[in-house]
């Protein structure tokens, strides 16, 4: 509808110029907005005010010229009015909205798809939790954001690959190995001092017990450095296996799992450090090696090799992101926790220093989740082993509720997640509120078929019965879906789909409370309304699928 109206307005401007009413042939872009008040029409533009300087005319005179030259041969405009200093308000014929329903039925699960990305290759890396303990709810929110963003980008025409980066090298893995080693010796009767810096959770004891059963006590009595390596590798492998399983249960699979250690094993980190040295971008100071990130917009230079000769996480991150671009990705997106905000400038600098544009690298920062139970906060601490894992949350409230609620707010805003609310079968539960629309319409359709009222083919003329204000409001809501998808893709903000679905559900509930869909004494009206609500059902299903949430037939 917006595109049709834009074409009419531009054609009117050209006709007004040709007739000498508008002196300039330079026209601005037509921006159409939906007025907040229904009394101001279906769509409105401030084009007349934007062109006042160029045309050297009063905005209202321009608005009059545009209205006078509108050639609405299709008959989509019911009437127009000029408001305020020069706004043009358009009132659309109710029947002009009916083709939206035909489009939805014809395109079905492809309705809303666009070619915004034009095949651009994008890699989105998310979750990427260190394999030192189970995934928690914060990882769950990051996972929902990353996975849904990937779904939306694919639907918008991008070639997307999802990747998990396994941080299986460095100090945290060493700490994991030490934690398991000490718990193993403890279980074998040795007196050990377990540092606060080690991982405290019960899962460490479980891993130690598995190793004792597999390798016997000999492992924990041999050379400590060798035993630590075995403990670290075993524990990390088992934890990664658990993460994979938890993510699958959460509805997330990755196209690629990439090991940080593989970069060291292939000598890529050392090669890149030498290359940057040769280019004068890495220098030595105070026994350490520093990357000149300040030359690329960072506030200061960063250490890549410590005084003890060990590389920093930043060193492998530089190589990892170089490797991403070397694999042919034109844009790279990382989903990080909000506490990594200060890390963005140095990574932007590293990307630019590696020969790529800064805008080829984006980071989505995901804020914390405050986990509640009946309004009371649940304390979480990974190192202390006191936390609700993602697996526990999904088991308690279900995949759909967890994913949907994680996406009910912009990822850059903190989120309260109440476990009890997520389980309620009431309209207070946001996922239930939306899914129930799909299930209710499925029930209506089942009853219609049981009564012998199959949808069949519906001609445009059959939709003339959809002439009430509520009919038009509901169809207009359906017409907004493609724009909601495109905006969510362009801004990489999956919560926009959640917002849209919630608003559509509200429109449907209002409609359903005022109008019967199955009217025994009016077959024509029944067929038209079935056509309308089935379109709602399809759009609800499409939107939920982008969020990785199911669309149940019964609830």
């Amino acid at each position: 509808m917006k595109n049709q109206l834009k074409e009419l307005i531009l054609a009117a401007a050209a006709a007004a110029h040709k007739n000498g009413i508008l002196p300039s042939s330079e026209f601005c872009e037509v921006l159409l907005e939906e007025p907040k008040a229904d009394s101001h029409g279906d769509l409105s533009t401030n084009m007349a005010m934007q062109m006042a300087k160029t045309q050297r005319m009063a905005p209202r005179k321009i608005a009059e010229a545009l209205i006078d030259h509108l050639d609405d041969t299709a008959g989509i405009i019911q009437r127009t009015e000029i408001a305020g200093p020069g706004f043009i308000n358009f009132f659309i014929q109710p029947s002009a909205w009916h083709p939206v329903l035909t489009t939805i039925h014809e395109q079905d699960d492809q309705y809303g798809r666009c070619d915004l990305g034009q095949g651009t290759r994008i890699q989105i890396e998310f979750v990427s939790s260190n394999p030192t303990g189970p995934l928690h709810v914060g990882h769950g929110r990051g996972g929902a954001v990353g996975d849904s963003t990937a779904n939306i980008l694919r639907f918008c025409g991008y070639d997307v690959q999802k990747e998990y980066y396994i941080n299986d090298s460095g100090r945290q893995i060493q700490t994991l190995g030490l934690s398991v080693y000490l718990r193993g010796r403890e279980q074998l009767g040795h007196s050990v001092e377990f540092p606060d810096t080690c991982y405290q959770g019960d899962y460490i004891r479980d891993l130690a017990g598995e190793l004792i059963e597999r390798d016997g006590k000999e492992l924990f009595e041999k050379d400590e450095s060798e035993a630590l390596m075995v403990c670290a590798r075993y524990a990390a492998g088992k934890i990664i296996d658990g993460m994979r399983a938890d993510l699958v249960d959460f509805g997330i699979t990755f196209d690629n799992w990439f090991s940080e250690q593989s970069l060291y094993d292939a000598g890529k980190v050392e090669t890149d450090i030498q290359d940057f040295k040769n280019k004068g971008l890495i220098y030595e100071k105070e026994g350490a090696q520093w990357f000149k990130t300040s030359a690329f917009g960072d506030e200061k230079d960063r250490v890549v090799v410590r005084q003890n000769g060990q590389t920093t996480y930043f060193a492998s991150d530089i190589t990892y992101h170089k490797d991403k671009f070397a694999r042919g990705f034109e844009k790279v997106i990382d989903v990080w926790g909000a506490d990594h905000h200060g890390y963005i400038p140095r990574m932007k600098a590293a990307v630019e220093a590696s020969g790529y544009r800064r805008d080829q690298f984006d980071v989505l920062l995901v804020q914390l989740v405050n986990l509640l139970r009946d309004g009371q906060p649940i304390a979480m601490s990974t190192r202390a082993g006191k936390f609700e894992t993602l697996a526990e949350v999904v088991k308690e409230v279900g995949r759909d509720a967890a994913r949907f609620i994680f996406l009910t707010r912009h990822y850059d805003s903190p989120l309260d997640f109440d476990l009890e609310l997520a389980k309620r079968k009431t309209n207070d539960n946001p996922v239930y509120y939306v899914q129930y629309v799909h299930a209710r319409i499925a029930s209506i359709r089942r009853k219609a078929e049981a009564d012998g009222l199959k949808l069949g083919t519906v001609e445009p003329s059959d939709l003339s019965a959809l002439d009430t204000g509520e009919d038009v409001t509901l169809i207009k809501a359906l017409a907004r879906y493609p724009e909601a998808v495109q905006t969510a893709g362009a801004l990489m903000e999956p919560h926009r789909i959640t917002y849209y679905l919630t608003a559509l559900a509200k429109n449907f509930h209002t409609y359903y409370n005022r109008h019967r869909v199955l009217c025994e004494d009016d077959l024509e009206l029944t067929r038209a309304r079935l056509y309308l609500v089935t379109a709602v059902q399809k759009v609800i299903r499409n939107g939920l699928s982008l969020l990785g949430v199911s669309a149940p037939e019964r609830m």
Side-chain angles (χ1 to χ4, degrees):
M1 183 61 68
K2 282 186 176 181
N3 290 336
Q4 283 182 274
L5 198 52
K6 284 179 181 180
E7 290 176 6
L8 286 176
I9 295 169
L10 286 174
H17 171 67
K18 184 178 180 180
N19 291 338
I21 298 175
L22 295 182
S24 174
S25 62
E26 185 180 338
F27 311 128
C28 65
E29 181 185 359
V30 182
L31 298 177
L32 290 166
E33 300 291 340
E34 291 189 45
K36 293 182 179 179
D38 291 340
S39 60
H40 294 163
D42 296 294
L43 294 166
S44 178
T45 182
N46 65 349
M47 184 181 183
M49 290 180 283
Q50 289 181 303
M51 292 202 303
K53 185 175 182 180
T54 303
Q55 301 295 340
R56 287 173 289 187
M57 291 175 62
R60 290 186 69 90
K61 289 291 184 182
I62 297 173
E64 290 171 4
L66 293 174
I67 289 174
D68 289 344
H69 288 82
L70 281 172
D71 184 16
D72 181 24
T73 54
I76 68 172
I77 301 173
Q78 188 177 61
R79 64 185 176 91
T80 59
E81 67 177 21
I82 301 172
F87 288 100
I88 305 176
N89 296 333
F90 297 91
F91 296 79
I92 306 300
Q93 291 280 6
S95 60
W97 294 102
H98 294 165
V100 172
L101 301 180
T102 305
T103 300
I104 293 169
H105 282 273
E106 288 177 348
Q107 296 182 357
D108 199 20
D109 61 358
Q110 299 302 298
Y111 178 64
R113 183 180 288 278
C114 67
D115 195 27
L116 178 68
Q118 299 183 331
T120 300
R121 292 197 68 206
I122 285 185
Q123 188 226 56
I124 180 164
E125 177 227 320
F126 56 101
V127 183
S128 297
S129 170
N130 295 326
T132 54
L135 297 172
H136 56 66
V137 290
H139 299 131
R141 190 183 189 190
V145 168
D147 198 50
S148 300
T149 300
N151 292 341
I152 293 166
L153 290 173
R154 281 198 183 115
F155 205 62
C156 288
Y158 291 90
D159 180 2
V160 182
Q161 185 186 83
K162 299 182 294 183
E163 183 157 293
Y164 189 113
Y165 181 53
I166 308 169
N167 300 106
D168 54 355
S169 178
R171 186 170 57 251
Q172 287 182 308
I173 294 298
Q174 294 169 3
T175 302
L176 175 65
L178 177 62
S179 303
V180 173
Y181 174 74
L182 292 177
R183 287 304 187 202
R185 287 183 60 80
E186 185 179 70
Q187 290 179 31
L188 291 169
H190 296 279
S191 176
V192 300
E193 184 177 336
F194 200 83
D196 292 338
T197 54
C198 284
Y199 296 103
Q200 310 286 327
D202 289 339
Y203 67 97
I204 297 295
R205 291 186 174 86
D206 294 339
L207 290 167
E210 291 173 15
L211 269 174
I212 291 173
E213 185 175 345
R214 190 193 76 170
D215 295 349
K217 65 179 182 179
E218 290 79 10
L219 170 64
F220 296 90
E221 295 176 352
K222 64 169 58 174
D223 177 70
E224 183 174 316
S225 61
E226 183 181 346
L228 289 178
M229 181 63 70
V230 173
C231 289
R233 291 292 164 224
Y234 177 82
K238 292 288 287 188
I239 290 171
I240 290 169
D241 288 343
M243 287 175 171
R244 287 179 191 265
D246 291 347
L247 288 167
V248 168
D249 289 342
F250 191 49
I252 296 176
T253 57
F254 287 92
D255 300 301
N256 191 39
W257 290 68
F258 192 100
S259 163
E260 177 187 10
Q261 185 60 42
S262 71
L263 297 172
Y264 287 100
D265 293 343
K268 291 185 176 181
V269 178
E270 292 81 355
T271 298
D272 285 342
I273 289 174
Q274 189 57 52
D275 286 346
F276 283 120
K277 280 183 179 179
N278 296 340
K279 295 174 182 176
L281 294 176
I282 290 181
Y283 63 92
E284 292 193 20
K285 185 180 74 172
E286 299 173 352
Q289 298 181 36
W290 299 70
F291 197 103
K292 287 186 178 179
T293 49
S294 61
F296 300 93
D298 195 10
E299 62 179 354
K300 61 182 181 180
D301 295 342
R302 307 290 178 175
V303 174
V304 288
V305 181
R306 300 185 182 92
Q307 290 176 328
N308 61 8
Q310 292 193 348
T311 54
T312 62
Y313 284 115
F314 183 45
S316 53
D317 281 343
I318 295 171
T319 296
Y320 176 46
H321 285 77
K322 275 190 66 178
D323 186 85
K324 293 184 182 193
F325 288 111
R327 283 183 265 157
F329 295 109
E330 299 165 73
K331 192 175 185 68
V332 166
I333 303 164
D334 289 359
V335 180
W336 296 347
D339 55 338
H340 288 76
H341 180 272
Y343 205 73
I344 296 176
R346 74 185 70 177
M347 281 312 309
K348 287 269 189 184
V351 167
E352 186 177 1
S354 299
Y356 304 98
R357 299 191 317 275
R358 296 171 68 87
D359 63 1
Q360 288 181 268
F361 172 66
D362 268 327
V363 177
L364 309 184
L365 289 174
V366 180
Q367 288 284 351
L368 294 173
V369 177
N370 302 310
L371 198 61
L372 312 174
R373 189 178 293 280
D374 274 334
Q376 298 301 311
I378 299 174
M380 293 183 289
S381 172
T382 304
R383 188 173 294 279
K386 299 176 181 178
F387 50 85
E388 293 279 345
T389 66
L390 174 62
E392 290 168 341
V393 170
V394 171
K395 182 178 180 180
E396 181 170 350
V397 308
R399 173 199 298 182
D400 288 345
R403 288 188 66 125
F404 195 93
I405 292 173
F406 281 140
L407 298 169
T408 50
R409 300 195 68 185
H410 191 294
Y411 49 74
D412 199 25
S413 299
L415 175 72
D416 289 338
F417 189 121
D418 195 307
L419 294 167
E420 296 304 318
L421 174 65
K423 293 186 289 186
R424 289 178 194 149
K425 297 186 184 304
T426 67
N427 287 341
D428 293 332
N429 181 346
V431 68
Y432 182 87
Y433 186 70
V434 173
Q435 286 181 317
Y436 190 63
V437 172
H438 190 274
R440 171 166 271 174
I441 296 171
S443 175
I444 293 170
R445 294 179 63 190
R446 285 194 298 272
K447 187 176 188 310
E449 289 189 15
D451 293 343
L453 298 172
K454 290 190 177 181
L455 194 57
T457 302
V458 176
E459 300 296 332
S461 58
D462 298 332
L463 302 178
S464 59
L466 301 175
D467 57 2
T468 70
E470 288 84 6
D471 289 315
V472 173
T473 296
L474 191 52
I475 299 172
K476 284 169 64 177
L478 295 171
R480 296 187 195 106
Y481 181 66
E483 186 175 6
V485 172
Q486 186 163 338
T487 303
L491 301 178
M492 294 183 290
E493 294 179 346
H495 76 282
R496 290 179 177 271
I497 303 299
T498 313
Y499 281 16
Y500 170 83
L501 292 174
T502 303
L504 178 59
K506 182 179 180 181
N507 286 137
F508 174 80
H509 288 307
T510 300
Y511 183 87
Y512 185 80
N513 290 333
R514 295 183 182 178
H515 298 284
R516 288 182 61 85
V517 176
L518 305 180
C519 306
E520 297 175 1
D521 56 346
D522 194 333
L523 181 58
E524 180 184 347
L525 181 59
T526 293
R527 285 170 60 82
R529 287 183 176 170
L530 268 176
Y531 198 69
L532 170 58
V533 300
T534 302
V536 173
Q537 185 187 32
K538 290 176 183 291
V539 173
I540 290 284
R541 175 204 62 197
N542 292 357
L544 288 174
S545 71
L546 293 179
L547 304 179
V549 176
S550 71
E553 296 284 321
R554 289 179 169 84
M555 291 181 71

